[in-house]
Amino acid sequence: MLEVTAIAKNFGGLKVLQDVSFTAGSGMVTALIGPNGAGKSTLVNLIAGVLRPTNGTVLLDGVDITGMSPVKVFEAGVARTFQVSGNVSELNVFECVALAAYRRARGYREANRLAREQLERFDLWQYRREAIGDIPSAMVRIVDFARGLVSQPKVLLLDEVMAGLTPHEVDIVIERVRECRAEGIAIVMIEHVMQAVNALADKAVVLNHGRIVTEGALAEVTAHPDVREAYLGAA
């Protein structure tokens, strides 16, 4: 269980997030949605330890991980993907995934085994020797997802992992996310591809101007008048 309570983030006089609270349960997909600039990626960066909050707390299974370094947050069980891939372009596909496996692996043999399992699961094994910098950006996003999953996290943060994918590729990732959910992983997903949000979200949390507008079932929140205005503007 991920619990975010009264999180705020200021950059100087700019208040990017204010009093944001929500929970993400194990075995559930929580979608963070809202217009560009709403504060979604900043919120994910706070959870992952890339940024320190101005106020508020982040708990993982009741343990306070607020303000921990990204390495410590990862070791605690929070994995993530990035809008701009966190993979190193000189590494090949296999190396990127195997490196992440060391959070759980007891040695390089087990890390290699776990990496192979994930690459086969995502139909990426044939590309294992390709440098990350030499494969299409859409494929990099899928490698990023496999890299996050191989660490066997408690919480997986997906930051627009579907962006740029074909409908077929989106379907593949949707199935992998469903498998994660079935394994009891708490998934927090920033996503603009509504095909994926509709297929996956157990709960949606809507952000606008750094605050939560509403949260609940996707059908309920998208019918909310403030959500419609945030996306479409006032009539």
Side-chain angles (χ1 to χ4, degrees):
M1 167 79 75
L2 179 72
E3 300 175 72
V4 175
T5 304
I7 282 289
K9 180 60 180 176
N10 302 340
F11 293 99
L14 179 63
K15 296 181 179 181
V16 177
L17 291 171
Q18 302 177 64
D19 196 29
V20 172
S21 300
F22 73 95
T23 60
S26 302
M28 293 182 62
V29 175
T30 301
L32 296 179
I33 62 175
N36 290 332
K40 303 183 299 297
S41 290
T42 298
L43 179 55
V44 164
N45 284 330
L46 289 167
I47 295 169
V50 176
L51 298 173
R52 295 178 65 90
T54 304
N55 290 301
T57 59
V58 180
L59 303 183
L60 177 60
D61 291 341
V63 177
D64 191 346
I65 61 170
T66 312
M68 285 185 179
S69 69
V71 170
K72 292 296 184 182
V73 172
F74 178 70
E75 289 175 349
V78 179
R80 66 164 306 176
T81 69
F82 298 80
Q83 284 187 27
V84 177
S85 174
N87 290 307
V88 179
S89 61
E90 291 81 8
L91 297 179
N92 65 36
V93 168
F94 182 85
E95 290 167 336
C96 283
V97 178
L99 280 173
Y102 275 98
R103 191 184 84 83
R104 289 290 187 184
R106 290 183 292 271
Y108 78 92
R109 293 182 189 278
E110 185 177 4
N112 289 347
R113 177 183 62 79
L114 292 171
R116 177 165 187 159
E117 286 177 0
Q118 287 302 325
L119 291 174
E120 290 177 343
R121 191 178 189 183
F122 283 89
D123 298 326
L124 292 169
W125 182 245
Q126 61 185 311
Y127 304 106
R128 63 191 181 277
R129 295 189 179 92
E130 298 287 333
I132 285 291
D134 294 337
I135 64 176
S137 57
M139 191 181 296
V140 173
R141 291 186 178 276
I142 299 178
V143 173
D144 229 14
F145 186 18
R147 186 175 61 85
L149 197 56
V150 76
S151 66
Q152 301 175 3
K154 297 177 181 179
V155 176
L156 182 58
L157 308 173
L158 302 178
D159 195 348
E160 297 192 36
V161 72
M162 313 281 184
L165 302 187
T166 67
H168 173 67
E169 290 167 335
V170 169
D171 285 339
I172 290 173
V173 176
I174 284 173
E175 287 307 309
R176 299 294 83 79
V177 175
R178 284 175 174 155
E179 290 172 8
C180 293
R181 177 170 57 191
E183 292 169 8
I185 297 171
I187 300 164
V188 179
M189 178 176 70
I190 297 175
E191 194 52 69
H192 292 290
V193 177
M194 293 309 292
Q195 171 189 352
V197 177
N198 287 328
L200 293 168
D202 297 297
K203 180 176 76 172
V205 177
V206 184
L207 281 169
N208 193 31
H209 299 305
R211 292 184 178 274
I212 291 180
V213 177
T214 187
E215 63 178 288
L218 184 63
E220 296 172 1
V221 301
T222 52
H224 194 288
D226 291 341
V227 175
R228 294 186 174 222
E229 182 173 341
Y231 273 107
L232 303 175

